[in-house]
Amino acid sequence: MGWIRNVLIIGIISSLLFLTVDYFFGKSILGKNLAPRISHYVYHHDLKKNLFQVRDNWGKLNYDLCTNSFGFKSSCNNIINKKDFDIVFIGDSFTEGIGLDYKDTFVGLFSNSYPELRVANMGVSSYSPSIYRSKIQYYLEKEKMTFNHVFLFIDISD
């Protein structure tokens, strides 16, 4: 029975050592935090700003992710950093186009069909109606952004 006690002690010490090293040194070993999603103090969470061709994954799908200076998913070939947009799309993962390159999302397809319009994709995975309102209000009031039309895509499970 003494060997069971020894195995448990070694397992606990190993786990604690691993968790301690991970907590204190994980970022320095792996480099900066590469996760493209961040928290936001007003509307809960967002995509990081100014990402350029970051390889992200969703399940087994790998895709390129680019964002503009506001954190909106954008075409890697045509990033719009101005504060005025003709059309803004907002919604959750379907609008963001999680798992897809921008050009393959419905927002990207729309933008490519109407290149004369300045189109923004404010959609981010796990958004809800209260976040849609908070994010739109934040960009109108705090960032002094203007847009002519907003298309809101509500997930029926919200």
Side-chain angles (χ1 to χ4, degrees):
M1 286 306 222
W3 68 271
I4 294 175
R5 185 175 150 249
N6 289 341
V7 168
L8 284 174
I9 290 172
I10 291 171
I12 291 170
I13 291 173
S14 297
S15 297
L16 288 174
L17 183 61
F18 173 78
L19 292 173
T20 302
V21 169
D22 181 51
Y23 181 79
F24 289 108
F25 302 106
K27 271 191 183 175
S28 62
I29 292 170
L30 295 175
K32 65 180 183 174
N33 183 4
L34 298 177
R37 287 148 197 352
I38 58 171
S39 63
H40 193 276
Y41 70 100
V42 173
Y43 52 85
H44 196 267
H45 66 284
D46 208 350
L47 296 173
K48 280 186 181 177
K49 299 175 181 181
N50 298 313
L51 295 175
F52 186 71
Q53 287 190 320
V54 171
R55 289 299 282 170
D56 199 10
N57 65 319
W58 187 66
K60 293 182 179 181
L61 300 173
N62 294 307
Y63 62 101
D64 287 329
L65 177 62
C66 294
T67 61
N68 67 6
S69 60
F70 304 107
F72 304 160
K73 186 169 181 175
S74 300
S75 165
C76 297
N77 300 323
N78 183 26
I79 295 177
I80 301 171
N81 289 315
K82 297 182 179 185
K83 288 190 173 192
D84 60 320
F85 290 93
D86 296 307
I87 297 177
V88 168
F89 291 91
I90 191 164
D92 62 0
S93 57
F94 179 72
T95 306
E96 175 189 337
I98 195 164
L100 300 172
D101 292 341
Y102 179 81
K103 66 181 175 50
D104 297 322
T105 67
F106 80 86
V107 177
L109 294 169
F110 178 89
S111 182
N112 287 338
S113 296
Y114 299 95
E116 70 278 5
L117 298 176
R118 287 179 313 281
V119 177
N121 183 351
M122 288 185 169
V124 177
S125 179
S126 298
Y127 271 10
S128 65
S130 63
I131 294 175
Y132 305 149
R133 181 185 183 280
S134 297
K135 188 170 186 175
I136 293 289
Q137 187 174 4
Y138 173 83
Y139 279 100
L140 288 173
E141 295 174 2
K142 302 288 187 207
E143 295 288 336
K144 306 298 183 202
M145 191 173 279
T146 60
F147 24 88
N148 298 330
H149 303 281
V150 175
F151 290 94
L152 172 61
F153 289 84
I154 297 177
D155 185 328
I156 59 171
S157 66
D158 289 338

